[in-house]
Amino acid sequence: MNEIENLLWNGKVPVKFTVFNEDGDVNLATSTTKSIKKNLSIRDDISPYYMMLPRLSFFCLHEDELRKHFSSVFNDNDEKTKQPIYYVLSNKLSKVVKSFYPIGVLYDLHTFDSPTDAFEITIRYDNFPESIIKYETPRDMIIQNLKESNYMLFGSSDQLAKIENVHIDELILAAKNQNLNEYKSIKNEYIYAKSDIKRYPVRMFFKMGDKLFQSIHQSSSKKKKKKKKKKNNAEYVYSSLFDYSLNDHGEDTSLEDWVKKEQIIAYGTGGMITSKYRMNPLPESDDDLSDSKYTLKLYCQGIELDPLMPMKSCCELFMHADCFLYMIAYLEEE
């Protein structure tokens, strides 16, 4: 297992960074779709910057190097450029990247159906969008992720609050530098200290091509009052907890069984997992639900998972630096 863990932790993603042309002064939160398409552009007077970044790291941990390379843009004399930067897709400049997810997760989400030589990302600093939280420092963002995973693990984030800042900084640095032994040492001594961990927090995305889906399992038999339909382009993330101390979530529970027991999946046959899903936005009533069927394949860190793999082993092997297991459920229409 140590050899596999090392291979996963040493995984990297090629990223091509460009700089957004802020002179257009486009506000993603208020501009119309037409004005966005017309005004968004990349600066062609600044050469791209290529980096090989760890899959388990976060964009914010490499911000200093980006600012240093693009020093002609991010200079000490301009207060505007000192603001926290954020990221958009280079091929879809109105699409803000949720950079609080690990780099490898973002790469898989946005390039899964269209393989590319490099993950093309454009950096911005002006008109910070309302769709993502604005953290003052990269450290603040990582700590928030750790608080969320700790809350799911222990029912509170008190365990994390007891850790000295120096150990949190060492944990973050170990993730950035792909130092697995250092990371596990700090995590086991401080985060999981004196704890018999029998549960793992899980985040799952649903995709088909470049489209993101939502589950239909939240539907109600009661008629709902019709409301004005709102456009919803947000990624849907299914968050849950794998707890193998429960009677129906034993240590030998397979990935397929866990997914079905979570009611994500309607039924499974012969290792093939199938379910019913629909696209965003939410329908106005239950009558709008469709019964299309899809074959579901599960991926983690770019690797297709065997449905019969023990869920406990999956969590231990593929756990990310923020103590979440991230999976992508890729839907193929039957």
Side-chain angles (χ1 to χ4, degrees):
M1 185 175 290
N2 288 338
E3 183 180 350
I4 298 175
E5 281 183 302
N6 277 310
L7 286 172
L8 294 172
W9 267 76
N10 290 329
K12 292 189 175 184
V13 169
V15 186
K16 173 185 176 182
F17 289 101
T18 49
V19 179
F20 185 81
N21 181 13
E22 300 288 359
D23 290 339
D25 196 29
V26 177
N27 189 326
L28 296 183
T30 60
S31 300
T32 64
T33 303
K34 288 183 178 180
S35 65
I36 285 177
K37 289 182 178 179
K38 182 179 180 181
N39 294 304
L40 296 186
S41 63
I42 295 172
R43 289 188 57 168
D44 55 11
D45 60 325
I46 300 177
S47 299
Y49 183 46
Y50 293 84
M51 298 177 71
M52 289 293 293
L53 298 179
R55 269 186 160 271
L56 300 181
S57 185
F58 298 82
F59 280 132
C60 65
L61 297 182
H62 307 274
E63 186 175 314
D64 287 344
E65 186 175 348
L66 288 172
R67 287 179 179 274
K68 183 178 180 180
H69 178 81
F70 294 116
S71 57
S72 61
V73 176
F74 300 99
N75 59 76
D76 295 335
N77 298 323
D78 189 346
E79 289 296 324
K80 207 173 193 180
T81 63
K82 292 181 181 179
Q83 301 180 80
I85 63 177
Y86 63 101
Y87 309 86
V88 296
L89 297 178
S90 298
N91 62 352
K92 191 182 295 184
L93 292 171
S94 61
K95 178 66 176 178
V96 179
V97 172
K98 303 291 180 65
S99 55
F100 46 83
Y101 295 134
I103 294 171
V105 174
L106 294 170
Y107 176 82
D108 293 336
L109 272 175
H110 297 295
T111 68
F112 188 93
D113 201 52
S114 53
T116 179
D117 292 333
F119 189 19
E120 298 189 14
I121 295 293
T122 299
I123 57 178
R124 293 200 61 177
Y125 57 84
D126 201 11
N127 292 321
F128 203 94
E130 297 176 358
S131 59
I132 55 176
I133 300 173
K134 188 175 185 178
Y135 295 100
E136 292 302 317
T137 67
R139 186 177 185 279
D140 292 339
M141 193 212 75
I142 304 297
I143 289 177
Q144 180 58 37
N145 276 23
L146 286 170
K147 282 182 178 178
E148 291 179 22
S149 61
N150 268 245
Y151 187 86
M152 294 182 72
L153 280 168
F154 306 112
S156 76
S157 57
D158 292 345
Q159 186 79 6
L160 189 67
K162 297 175 184 176
I163 305 175
E164 294 182 18
N165 288 337
V166 63
H167 298 308
I168 293 178
D169 292 338
E170 289 172 350
L171 186 80
I172 294 172
L173 191 62
K176 177 182 177 181
N177 295 334
Q178 296 181 291
N179 190 330
L180 176 59
N181 290 334
E182 179 74 7
Y183 172 81
K184 290 177 71 174
S185 174
I186 298 169
K187 183 184 74 172
N188 293 336
E189 184 173 354
Y190 298 104
I191 295 183
Y192 290 169
K194 299 178 181 178
S195 298
D196 183 16
I197 299 300
K198 293 185 177 180
R199 51 187 179 177
Y200 301 87
V202 181
R203 283 175 171 168
M204 184 182 292
F205 299 86
F206 297 88
K207 271 187 76 78
M208 188 177 88
D210 61 352
K211 300 181 178 69
L212 289 148
F213 286 69
Q214 285 192 341
S215 167
I216 66 168
H217 292 286
Q218 299 173 356
S219 62
S220 170
S221 58
K222 296 180 180 180
K223 293 291 181 181
K224 302 174 184 177
K225 293 181 179 179
K226 287 194 174 184
K227 297 180 180 179
K228 186 177 179 180
K229 188 178 283 188
K230 295 181 179 180
K231 191 173 182 180
N232 180 8
N233 291 321
E235 287 93 345
Y236 175 73
V237 184
Y238 177 85
S239 295
S240 186
L241 194 71
F242 169 61
D243 189 339
Y244 64 84
S245 65
L246 300 178
N247 292 332
D248 58 347
H249 284 173
E251 286 195 51
D252 297 327
T253 299
S254 69
L255 179 60
E256 179 180 16
D257 287 339
W258 176 79
V259 170
K260 286 192 290 184
K261 287 171 183 175
E262 286 290 298
Q263 296 185 354
I264 303 170
I265 306 305
Y267 58 89
T269 57
M272 180 182 294
I273 306 175
T274 56
S275 184
K276 298 176 183 178
Y277 285 87
R278 57 175 169 76
M279 285 187 59
N280 292 340
L282 294 171
E284 294 183 357
S285 72
D286 294 339
D287 296 334
D288 297 333
L289 299 178
S290 63
D291 290 327
S292 299
K293 292 183 179 179
Y294 298 90
T295 297
L296 178 62
K297 295 183 178 180
L298 299 172
Y299 293 82
C300 188
Q301 296 189 37
I303 300 171
E304 183 176 352
L305 303 177
D306 183 345
L308 301 180
M309 180 181 187
M311 183 65 180
K312 182 174 180 288
S313 298
C314 181
C315 291
E316 292 174 345
L317 276 175
F318 293 96
M319 187 65 63
H320 283 68
D322 57 2
C323 299
F324 275 102
L325 172 70
Y326 291 89
M327 289 193 288
I328 295 177
Y330 190 74
L331 299 159
E332 293 181 348
E333 192 166 7
E334 291 183 340

